[in-house]
Amino acid sequence: MMRLSSALLLLLVLPGLAAAEPVTVRAGSAPGYGRLVFDWPAAPAYRLEQQGDRVLLHFPAGTEWRLPQRPPANVMALATEGEALRLSLRPGARARHYRLGSRVVVELLDPTPEGAAEPPGRQPAERGPGTAGGANPMVAPAAPPVAVPAPVSPAAPQEAASPVSTPAARPAEIPSAAPVPAPVPALAPTRGVASRLSLPAGPAILLPFPAGTGAAILRRGEVLLLVFDSPEAPDLVPLQDDPVFGGLLAESLPEATLMRLPLAATSRLLARREATGWTLAVAPAGGEPPPEIDLATEAGPPPRLLLRAPSPGRVVPVQDPETGLPLLVGTLRQGQAAMRTGRRLPELDLPPTLLGTAVLARSDGVLLQAGTDRFTLALAGGGRLSLDTALAGPAPAPELVRSFDLPARPAAELLTQLQALQAGIAAAPPLARLPQRRAAGELLLALGLPQEAQAMLSLGFAEDPRAAADPSYAALAGAAALLAGRLGEAEALRSPAWGDGDEARLWQAALAAARSEWQPAATGFARSLPLLLAYPAGLKARLLPLAAQALAEAGETAALRRLLDAAGAEAAELALPRAMLAEAEGRSEEALAAYDRLAAGRDRRVRARALRQAVELRLASGRLDAAAAAKAIEAGLLAWRGDATELDARLRAAALYREAGKGRAALDLLRETAALFPDRGKALRPALQESFVAALAEAPPLAAVALYDANPDLRPEGAGSEQAILLLADRLTALDLGDRAAGLLRQVMQQAEGTSRAALGLRLAHLRFEEGDVAGAAAALADSAVPVLPPAQQVARAVLAARIEARRGQRDDAVAALRSLGAPGSEALAEVLVEASDWSGAAAAHATALAALPPAPAVLTDAEARLVLRQAVLLALAGDEAGLVTLREAQAARFGAGPLADAFALLTGDPLRGLADLPRLQRELQLFRNLPSRLEALRAGPPLTR
């Protein structure tokens, strides 16, 4: 990596040296033709002249060449002749040429057999920089020979000529009531004439092809692609008025024939080899499926896939009409075997077929070869190719949409191409450099050098105003800035003008992950995972840890498992997501061991995250309590400082301290956090106030008062303020500091509004009433009255107002008011009647309160037992023996052991009737002797909060 960075630095600093680099000429041979590829950094002006068996190629003056050691097929000699290159061809060979991005491709075709017609063709469209995947210069594109054109200027890109066939017809349903007119194909007959057949299964035709011609059929959208590995196509004129096959169009390839048939998805095409050609029949969808082509993985070396099929034909490269990527089609000479289920691998797709096999190449290194009983699929350079890395499910439609050209080729080859691009940039005028700068930026990004890529693309913004107006160029610069750690300069990735393709989704997910927005990041990565896995190694090494962490944080275990399997176990930078996956899958011991190893590592960010994950896992499994977990998280804060990771850890530790009953520790930690993160004060305030209330509840009364006075800025607002003040008032009341509690309640009540004012005023009125200050209680209720209150507060204020009236001597009015409240006023009504010595009325009123008790046989709580005991006292004072018996039978079994149970048994026991009851009388007398000490123990309990 150091050598690579040094070489790139020399390229940027010494453009004059790069300008002297010669143009590399590559040679290759294939059945039927030879090929020369001129690797130019930018599209040059050139012309081609053929004079018999001699071809002259004229390029810009002063060009230096790096010629191949051996010429390709059909070339006898290759040499320079003045300012041109001279090719001496095999007698009868023909030359054709076209552009492929910035490259110039010259193909030398075998001599045409005597009597055979020259196959018509079309000029291949020039690949733009946004075309995904790139094209393999060693694989012939679907482009037939072209006559020698006039010189092409680099300022006016060559446009693609229309194919020989006319536009596809509308997909036909089977059968159709009216014929669908179709244009007459321009392909001239060479071997035979297509004919219609009458078959019981449905419409059918016979396409005459020479013996041994293989065929393959697959669907791309609503169009069927029919590939025959023979260029001798039949005449389709007799089918022009056919309602089904009238839309069949043919295109001649160098060594094959490509046909397109619009056919709705509700129909299927059946193919069968006959002695005179191929029979095609249309039938409704469904029916008996064709035999399946068997897939198997061969370990190698090199590792490859085996597609076992009877009678394999040849491999025909065509261009996929949906994605523009190379589509390698394997034909069959016999049988009907097909791939019924599509598969997706990182470097390629295996789309479903109706006959034969097909490979959609996303990488330049995909190689499909035919054997005796199989097709073999491998990656150039021995890359890993296995069904174990397949992404489940058929290939999606439409395919992944790319915006950048990021070639997945070896670093040395990318560096060579970068050198040529740098030479072209140095030689081009400033306003003609933008395409080369973009291509250089993509190469640098593919090499995993985002800082250099951003520098290269920034020069384009400075030189050419078109750069800022190009959303794709701006997004490419944003991607480089993202990986360089400059998140503020990466916002172009979120521009709506860029579009919503798969590449946009991938980089927007990367930006979200860099900002710790895990859920949207995980969603984007999960949907664009095949594209990420197809990226070049240098770029993928930078993006995979980000994607894996986002998927792990968001709990996307299925996508995370696919990513980790594709990356391999040797990827050390993915150790943390792998441990998080183990935790999510329930392998706790494995996860803990991995976290502990990472916590001892050198990567500070990973170390901090591993420490946190280990603490949380031990807390969830019961190995740590909340207090110990909070201390462990706080102790690990030094592992990573200064960003959202530390802030999140501090908030989590404070929450655990509060859960453990250590509110003061939580408050101190958050006070320190607010000082370290002054810009996050607003976000920290809720946690600070919650910790402040928890500290008030835990502190001794006097310490709680001091804490409240010392932190006026932490006093909560609204319901939180009400809770804190009421809590503090109870603590002061417990110390017999009623006046201090009343003053605090009055002070806060005057500043509060709405329901908080009413609640504080009600508590102040209760405090005054319990101290015997009836006038003060009435004044507190009047001062805290508000127009609208919740029903519960309205009832509580009405009960207290009635009790105040009773203390003032208006007992009848108070009783009437309490009776009108029903059950909520029953306890207060009983108290008023007790003060009037109306025991029977008090017992009757109090009986209403007993209706709220849970049904038998549930054991009574302490508060519920006191309620029942009070009813027993009232019944005993009223002399209601029958009521006591009924109460004893209903509630005696629900009392537990203790003084309350003893008192209830004493009050509800049978009266003395003779000498036989003397032992019971003795036990009751002993109970009375012990009752004062037991009641004193009850009085020592915590005060009740009203």
Side-chain angles (χ1 to χ4, degrees):
M1 182 59 72
M2 180 64 71
R3 292 181 180 177
L4 183 59
S5 299
S6 301
L8 292 173
L9 182 60
L10 286 175
L11 286 175
L12 296 174
V13 176
L14 303 174
L17 287 176
E21 287 292 330
V23 175
T24 300
V25 183
R26 291 180 287 149
S29 301
Y33 65 93
R35 168 173 288 180
L36 291 172
V37 179
F38 297 80
D39 285 328
W40 285 86
Y46 78 98
R47 74 178 188 275
L48 183 146
E49 300 176 358
Q50 182 169 0
Q51 301 173 354
D53 297 334
R54 191 180 73 155
V55 172
L56 289 179
L57 279 165
H58 298 273
F59 287 101
T63 304
E64 296 184 14
W65 306 101
R66 182 181 291 139
L67 300 178
Q69 295 181 354
R70 297 178 57 186
N74 295 327
V75 177
M76 308 301 294
L78 173 63
T80 59
E81 184 173 305
E83 297 293 339
L85 281 179
R86 176 174 52 80
L87 283 68
S88 299
L89 304 186
R90 172 186 171 190
R94 297 156 295 145
R96 69 175 181 182
H97 62 102
Y98 54 89
R99 293 181 183 277
L100 197 64
S102 62
R103 293 172 286 193
V104 175
V105 181
V106 179
E107 293 180 348
L108 300 311
L109 306 180
D110 290 350
T112 304
E114 185 176 355
E118 180 74 16
R122 63 181 178 87
Q123 180 70 16
E126 183 175 344
R127 291 183 65 88
T131 304
N136 189 344
M138 291 294 113
V139 178
V146 180
V148 177
V152 180
S153 171
Q158 180 179 348
E159 296 184 359
S162 301
V164 173
S165 55
T166 54
R170 175 182 60 85
E173 298 288 346
I174 305 303
S176 175
V180 179
V184 179
L187 184 64
T190 59
R191 292 284 298 186
V193 179
S195 59
R196 305 184 197 182
L197 300 177
S198 179
L199 297 180
I205 60 172
L206 173 64
L207 297 178
F209 277 102
T213 299
I217 305 173
L218 69 155
R219 177 178 291 278
R220 304 304 284 169
E222 290 194 346
V223 176
L224 292 182
L225 299 185
L226 294 78
V227 180
F228 301 91
D229 57 14
S230 172
E232 302 176 7
D235 182 5
L236 302 180
V237 172
L239 305 178
Q240 62 181 350
D241 60 346
D242 189 277
V244 177
F245 294 100
L248 184 63
L249 303 176
E251 178 184 338
S252 181
L253 306 180
E255 296 295 331
T257 299
L258 173 64
M259 295 186 180
R260 294 178 173 87
L261 175 64
L263 189 67
T266 55
S267 303
R268 60 175 178 152
L269 191 65
L270 306 178
R272 185 175 71 253
R273 177 68 195 182
E274 305 289 352
T276 57
W278 282 90
T279 298
L280 304 179
V282 175
E288 183 178 355
E292 177 80 13
I293 291 180
D294 182 43
L295 287 178
T297 301
E298 186 177 66
R304 57 184 184 172
L305 293 181
L306 303 181
L307 294 80
R308 296 188 176 91
S311 303
R314 291 176 27 218
V315 176
V316 179
V318 301
Q319 187 177 36
D320 180 37
E322 291 192 352
T323 65
L325 298 178
L327 189 62
L328 308 180
V329 181
T331 63
L332 298 181
R333 294 192 173 95
Q334 296 289 341
Q336 297 178 334
M339 297 186 63
R340 298 201 298 262
T341 304
R343 290 174 172 81
R344 298 168 57 199
L345 279 72
E347 301 85 356
L348 54 93
D349 287 356
L350 297 173
T353 63
L354 301 177
L355 176 68
T357 185
V359 177
L360 182 68
R362 298 188 176 281
S363 169
D364 293 343
V366 176
L367 180 63
L368 181 66
Q369 295 177 321
T372 56
D373 62 345
R374 69 189 65 183
F375 293 94
T376 58
L377 180 58
L379 295 178
R384 184 169 181 259
L385 186 62
S386 169
L387 290 176
D388 296 336
T389 63
L391 306 179
E399 304 293 346
L400 294 172
V401 179
R402 298 194 182 193
S403 301
F404 307 145
D405 187 8
L406 302 168
R409 297 199 297 271
E413 185 176 342
L414 295 178
L415 183 56
T416 301
Q417 186 177 354
L418 182 63
Q419 290 173 339
L421 278 173
Q422 182 67 18
I425 292 173
L431 293 181
R433 295 174 180 172
L434 190 61
Q436 292 89 337
R437 290 206 182 278
R438 175 190 174 114
E442 289 171 335
L443 286 176
L444 288 165
L445 199 60
L447 286 165
L449 301 172
Q451 290 85 354
E452 292 81 353
Q454 189 184 11
M456 174 66 72
L457 296 168
S458 297
L459 293 175
F461 286 118
E463 289 175 343
D464 198 322
R466 293 172 295 179
D470 185 352
S472 181
Y473 189 93
L476 182 64
L482 168 63
L483 294 185
R486 303 181 180 100
L487 301 186
E489 303 174 27
E491 287 302 319
L493 294 171
R494 292 179 173 174
S495 172
W498 185 23
D500 56 353
D502 297 284
E503 199 129 38
R505 184 179 300 113
L506 171 60
W507 285 98
Q508 287 164 4
L511 179 58
R515 297 188 181 280
S516 300
E517 300 167 2
W518 301 120
Q519 191 57 55
T523 301
F525 278 129
R527 294 180 60 186
S528 56
L529 190 56
L531 177 59
L532 171 59
L533 296 176
Y535 268 178
L539 178 59
K540 185 164 59 176
R542 288 181 171 269
L543 281 175
L544 278 182
L546 202 60
Q549 191 65 32
L551 294 172
E553 296 284 358
E556 294 281 354
T557 56
L560 178 59
R561 167 58 66 188
R562 293 200 301 270
L563 185 150
L564 294 176
D565 290 344
E570 66 278 2
E573 65 274 10
L574 301 180
L576 179 59
R578 192 174 291 109
M580 296 176 71
L581 177 63
E583 179 183 352
E585 293 178 347
R587 294 177 278 125
S588 300
E589 296 300 328
E590 178 184 343
L592 275 177
Y595 288 146
D596 291 341
R597 286 194 302 271
L598 293 171
R602 295 183 177 181
D603 191 318
R604 292 179 58 228
R605 181 184 289 274
V606 172
R607 180 173 179 269
R609 194 72 179 91
L611 285 169
R612 171 82 176 276
Q613 288 294 122
V615 170
E616 296 288 357
L617 182 54
R618 288 185 168 93
L619 176 65
S621 60
R623 307 182 191 191
L624 289 177
D625 58 15
K631 289 181 179 179
I633 292 177
E634 187 176 6
L637 291 176
L638 294 177
W640 186 262
R641 305 295 300 272
D643 64 0
T645 301
E646 181 189 2
L647 180 63
D648 181 67
R650 286 176 171 274
L651 290 173
R652 176 58 176 158
L656 289 172
Y657 274 131
R658 290 194 300 269
E659 182 182 339
K662 297 181 177 296
R664 188 56 185 263
L667 180 61
D668 293 341
L669 177 60
L670 290 176
R671 279 286 199 187
E672 180 185 55
T673 304
L676 293 173
F677 296 89
D679 58 324
R680 303 300 298 271
K682 186 175 181 180
L684 289 171
R685 185 165 182 78
L688 275 166
Q689 291 175 337
E690 187 177 355
S691 300
F692 176 63
V693 172
L696 287 179
E698 297 161 8
L702 292 178
V705 174
L707 182 64
Y708 183 86
D709 292 338
N711 296 276
D713 58 315
L714 294 182
R715 295 173 185 175
E717 300 175 357
S721 175
E722 173 189 332
Q723 177 187 0
I725 297 303
L726 294 178
L727 176 65
L728 190 57
D730 288 341
R731 308 300 299 276
L732 292 171
T733 304
L735 291 176
D736 291 333
L737 298 175
D739 291 339
R740 178 69 184 274
L744 177 63
L745 288 170
R746 185 183 302 104
Q747 175 186 353
V748 179
M749 182 190 73
Q750 297 296 333
Q751 300 173 356
E753 297 179 355
T755 57
S756 295
R757 181 183 182 92
L760 294 170
L762 178 62
R763 182 66 185 94
L764 176 60
H766 271 292
L767 182 61
R768 289 303 189 195
F769 184 80
E770 291 168 358
E771 293 179 347
D773 186 358
V774 178
L781 280 181
D783 290 345
S784 60
V786 295
V788 180
L789 284 175
Q793 276 203 28
Q794 291 179 1
V795 170
R797 295 175 70 86
V799 168
L800 183 57
R803 296 179 64 188
I804 291 173
E805 290 300 315
R807 288 281 180 91
R808 286 175 170 175
Q810 306 296 325
R811 186 171 290 109
D812 293 340
D813 294 340
V815 169
L818 292 171
R819 289 189 189 278
S820 66
L821 295 175
S826 58
E827 288 194 57
L829 177 59
E831 291 183 9
V832 172
L833 295 176
V834 165
E835 292 176 358
S837 300
D838 184 359
W839 310 114
S840 298
H846 197 268
T848 306
L850 296 182
L853 292 177
V859 177
L860 298 173
T861 65
D862 188 70
E864 294 167 349
R866 292 175 184 276
L867 194 66
V868 174
L869 182 60
R870 186 178 184 190
Q871 179 68 5
V873 171
L874 293 175
L875 290 174
L877 291 173
D880 188 352
E881 294 292 338
L884 287 171
V885 171
T886 302
L887 185 64
R888 182 181 68 240
E889 293 174 352
Q891 306 294 342
R894 304 177 63 187
F895 275 86
L900 296 179
D902 294 340
F904 182 78
L906 175 64
L907 291 171
T908 59
D910 294 333
L912 296 175
R913 293 185 176 86
L915 294 176
D917 293 331
L918 288 178
R920 182 169 65 86
L921 177 61
Q922 184 177 5
R923 291 196 302 273
E924 292 176 355
L925 289 174
Q926 185 61 35
L927 176 62
F928 274 116
R929 295 190 186 98
N930 297 333
L931 192 58
S933 60
R934 295 184 179 180
L935 292 178
E936 186 64 29
L938 291 176
R939 289 181 57 192
L944 296 176
T945 301
R946 297 177 182 264

